[in-house]
Amino acid sequence: MKKNRVVTTDDILLKLCQSVSSVMTEATSSSITYSAMVQKINKTCLRPDFGCFVLFDGGFSGLVVINFTSQAALEVYSKYMRNMGMPEDELAILHTSDEVGDVLGELMNQLVGDFTNKIRKELKTNITQNQPKMLAITKQVQLSVDTNLDRPQARRVTFSTEKNNIFYLELAMDKTEFIQLEEFEVEEDESPDAILEAERLKSATHDALREEQNSLAATDDLLDELGI
């Protein structure tokens, strides 16, 4: 990575948007996109119809909120469950159902996990997340980060589903800059397929060695019986 590169709060927001888009696109097998424009806001809020939020702390502190309309929540939930093999007639039909909250909470956990992994590799610092919280709401609820931020900043980004349903990502964190002092290589992600293939080869090699050992032991036993 180029020396003296500066990473700002908005660069960190972009990494978060990329994590949201990639994780949800893969989980639902549908296109989840975000706006090229970001909105500066004064406060983060849980908004109707369904809100999820998670706090992170470590190298820097912050709060991530995702607010879904009921249509967006049900679309993401149903496409995720269909992708997992759930029959159509067993899907929940109300965004207030516990199953919808469980799925959105799991996706929130995955996307923030992907984000923290990017931060660890690309910024060489660690942040940890708490357990995501989610609830169906009918009124706006203001949220703030449970820590002292010297220069708090808040941003909102609009996301669209494949059916053009809308949900909003809100990020609150301290204004910060990461300044690169020395060059370094960013670790590449191992694909799940590559990890599984490596484990399969490892297991196959182990089985082959065990069979060879068993064969040698059987040969030794036979030679002993023959007195050789």
Side-chain angles (χ1 to χ4, degrees):
M1 186 175 286
K2 188 178 178 181
K3 188 177 178 181
N4 296 329
R5 175 175 176 238
V6 177
V7 177
T8 66
T9 304
D10 288 331
D11 293 321
I12 292 171
L13 172 63
L14 177 59
K15 296 180 191 302
L16 177 59
C17 289
Q18 291 169 344
S19 289
V20 173
S21 178
S22 62
V23 168
M24 286 196 167
T25 293
E26 183 175 354
T28 62
S29 291
S30 64
S31 177
I32 304 290
T33 58
Y34 55 90
S35 170
M37 298 297 291
V38 58
Q39 181 182 2
K40 287 187 176 182
I41 56 177
N42 295 321
K43 57 186 179 181
T44 52
C45 296
L46 288 175
R47 307 171 192 274
D49 297 301
F50 199 99
C52 302
F53 67 95
V54 62
L55 288 163
F56 58 84
D57 202 1
F60 54 89
S61 300
L63 168 69
V64 178
V65 179
I66 300 183
N67 293 308
F68 294 89
T69 61
S70 58
Q71 296 88 347
L74 281 171
E75 181 185 347
V76 170
Y77 155 78
S78 59
K79 286 188 174 179
Y80 175 85
M81 296 307 291
R82 288 192 199 102
N83 201 29
M84 297 292 288
M86 174 73 76
E88 187 74 29
D89 57 358
E90 294 183 20
L91 294 175
I93 58 174
L94 297 174
H95 75 279
T96 53
S97 299
D98 289 343
E99 296 93 328
V100 176
D102 290 343
V103 165
L104 296 181
E106 172 59 27
L107 287 173
M108 187 81 167
N109 201 40
Q110 290 180 26
L111 66 89
V112 176
D114 186 82
F115 169 64
T116 57
N117 189 46
K118 279 187 172 73
I119 295 300
R120 177 184 61 80
K121 291 191 303 181
E122 297 179 25
L123 301 185
K124 299 302 178 184
T125 190
N126 286 301
I127 56 175
T128 57
Q129 68 190 77
N130 71 352
Q131 189 65 26
K133 307 293 189 299
M134 47 277 169
L135 67 160
I137 55 176
T138 57
K139 294 184 179 181
Q140 181 172 300
V141 179
Q142 184 176 345
L143 293 177
S144 60
V145 184
D146 187 21
T147 188
N148 293 321
L149 298 182
D150 294 328
R151 296 179 296 169
Q153 292 190 314
R155 302 284 189 269
R156 180 188 297 138
V157 181
T158 303
F159 281 74
S160 300
T161 67
E162 199 167 62
K163 293 182 178 179
N164 292 319
N165 289 313
I166 302 298
F167 63 93
Y168 300 93
L169 168 73
E170 296 185 9
L171 170 67
M173 62 175 288
D174 213 356
K175 183 177 181 180
T176 188
E177 288 186 352
F178 284 84
I179 302 169
Q180 184 178 337
L181 299 179
E182 295 184 352
E183 293 187 6
F184 62 89
E185 295 294 328
V186 177
E187 303 170 31
E188 291 187 6
D189 285 329
E190 271 196 283
S191 70
D193 291 340
I195 294 172
L196 290 173
E197 179 64 15
E199 287 297 320
R200 188 190 66 77
L201 290 173
K202 182 179 177 181
S203 178
T205 302
H206 181 268
D207 290 343
L209 288 173
R210 186 169 56 185
E211 288 181 10
E212 183 177 353
Q213 289 171 351
N214 290 339
S215 177
L216 290 172
T219 301
D220 289 342
D221 290 342
L222 178 59
L223 291 175
D224 288 342
E225 291 178 9
L226 296 174
I228 298 175

